[in-house]
């Protein structure tokens, strides 16, 4: 782990009815660190990510964001959430709003920024993801890769301290994956704290500071990418990687 903890998950349990999805997860992401979470479908990766910003309610355990306990009953969850950017598999853009409006609506409603300031920040973040020329376009007129880059820009427009990515390329055609991963690479190089649930092993190996392998609701193995991906210690990790590599 690099520096102090940006995300600190302690003894996290989450069930849906009788199905226990997370079984006592302990998980830390350091400030400025890129942690890639890999594992088979149904292993609890996305549920873990959704618990981190309280889109899912944990059954027990604690989650600290930069030292603030987001699971505390008295926590101001909305205030803590403003420090967390989230990018989903499906782009979740408002189809009836232009790219500019997609990027300014939360800035104005949640952060109470003026129209001028919100639009200025939107332009800056669109430039960062290489889409300033699409500022007046509507989502339907963009490729999937462009829509996901707009979704990343929308999250960045809130000026978060850390970013969560839930399989951000899984809904994309293969030829569009690269442009999204390139934006994420750039963010990582700028020092953004990132927790990335992904099946892109090349990205995990190249960009991740640490790789965490999950299976059946537990962390099976974690370590530097060259260790976990190239020389896994656990039989379950080896079996999974033999199927995906």
């Amino acid at each position: 782990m690099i520096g102090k903890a940006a995300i600190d998950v302690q003894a996290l349990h989450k069930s849906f009815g009788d199905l226990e999805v997370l079984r006592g997860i302990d998980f830390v992401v350091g400030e400025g660190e890129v942690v890639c979470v890999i594992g088979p479908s149904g292993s609890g990766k996305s549920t873990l990510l959704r618990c981190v910003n309280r889109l899912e309610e944990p059954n027990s355990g604690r989650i600290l964001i930069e030292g603030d306990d987001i699971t505390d009953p008295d926590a101001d969850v909305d205030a803590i959430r403003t420090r967390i950017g989230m990018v989903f598999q499906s782009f979740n853009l408002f189809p009836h709003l232009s790219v500019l409006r997609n990027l300014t609506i939360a800035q104005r409603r949640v952060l109470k920024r003026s129209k001028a300031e919100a639009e200025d920040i939107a332009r800056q973040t669109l430039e960062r993801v290489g889409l300033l020329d699409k500022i007046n376009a509507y989502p339907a007129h963009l490729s999937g890769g462009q829509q996901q880059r707009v979704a990343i820009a929308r999250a960045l427009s809130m000026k978060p301290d850390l970013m969560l990515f839930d399989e951000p390329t899984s809904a994309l055609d293969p030829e569009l994956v690269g442009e999204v991963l390139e934006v994420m690479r750039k963010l990582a190089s700028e020092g953004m704290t990132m927790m990335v649930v992904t099946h892109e092993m090349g990205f995990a190996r190249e960009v991740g500071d640490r790789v965490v392998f999950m299976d059946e609701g537990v962390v099976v193995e974690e370590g530097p990418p060259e260790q976990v991906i190239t020389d896994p210690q656990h039989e379950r990790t080896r079996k999974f990687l033999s199927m995906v590599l």
Side-chain angles (χ1 to χ4, degrees), residues 1-239:
M1 191 187 86
I2 299 170
K4 61 183 182 183
I7 302 170
D8 186 359
V9 176
Q10 303 171 3
L12 187 70
H13 287 261
K14 174 62 183 176
S15 298
F16 295 99
D18 294 332
L19 179 64
E20 193 174 20
V21 178
L22 299 177
R23 301 188 288 147
I25 296 282
D26 293 294
F27 185 96
V28 177
V29 180
E31 279 186 5
E33 192 178 25
V34 178
V35 176
C36 294
V37 185
I38 64 171
S41 294
S43 58
K45 308 181 303 292
S46 293
T47 301
L48 171 61
L49 201 71
R50 291 172 66 84
C51 284
V52 166
N53 71 349
R54 287 279 303 275
L55 287 174
E56 296 289 354
E57 194 70 33
N59 293 92
S60 64
R62 297 172 77 214
I63 302 168
L64 283 73
I65 303 296
E66 299 175 315
D68 291 329
D69 188 348
I70 197 169
T71 48
D72 186 316
D74 297 325
D76 186 341
V77 173
D78 290 335
I80 296 172
R81 268 207 198 116
T82 63
R83 287 141 53 186
I84 307 170
M86 179 95 183
V87 178
F88 300 88
Q89 299 179 39
S90 50
F91 324 120
N92 288 12
L93 299 175
F94 294 111
H96 63 292
L97 299 181
S98 68
V99 167
L100 177 63
R101 289 271 287 129
N102 266 284
L103 265 67
T104 56
I105 190 166
Q107 290 190 65
R108 298 199 62 200
R109 287 187 182 175
V110 178
L111 300 180
K112 309 300 182 192
R113 288 177 184 154
S114 68
K115 183 170 186 273
E117 183 187 11
E119 291 186 354
D120 186 47
I121 289 169
R123 287 189 183 89
Q124 291 170 30
T125 52
L126 284 171
E127 192 154 21
R128 282 175 80 182
V129 302
L131 286 174
L132 187 55
D133 61 324
K134 302 295 185 184
I135 193 165
N136 294 314
Y138 284 79
H141 301 141
L142 303 176
S143 71
Q146 288 171 333
Q147 288 186 60
Q148 192 60 295
R149 282 152 65 197
V150 169
I152 294 172
R154 177 179 59 187
L156 290 174
S157 290
M158 303 296 280
K159 301 215 169 160
D161 296 337
L162 57 105
M163 292 279 287
L164 309 177
F165 293 87
D166 187 8
E167 305 226 17
T169 59
S170 65
L172 299 177
D173 292 332
E175 70 271 17
L176 301 176
V177 168
E179 65 188 69
V180 173
L181 294 181
E182 188 52 44
V183 169
M184 294 170 66
R185 273 191 202 95
K186 187 178 170 193
L187 281 180
S189 71
E190 293 167 357
M192 175 64 78
T193 304
M194 294 162 60
M195 179 177 168
V196 185
V197 170
T198 185
H199 58 273
E200 299 288 344
M201 294 302 140
F203 176 85
R205 182 186 274 133
E206 177 195 343
V207 181
D209 295 302
R210 208 154 31 95
V211 171
V212 173
F213 172 68
M214 285 182 65
D215 193 18
E216 296 181 354
V218 298
V219 172
V220 175
E221 186 168 348
E222 65 177 293
E226 61 272 16
Q227 177 194 310
V228 176
I229 296 176
T230 309
D231 185 26
Q233 304 301 298
H234 200 288
E235 178 56 36
R236 277 153 80 183
T237 320
R238 286 196 288 272
K239 187 176 178 185

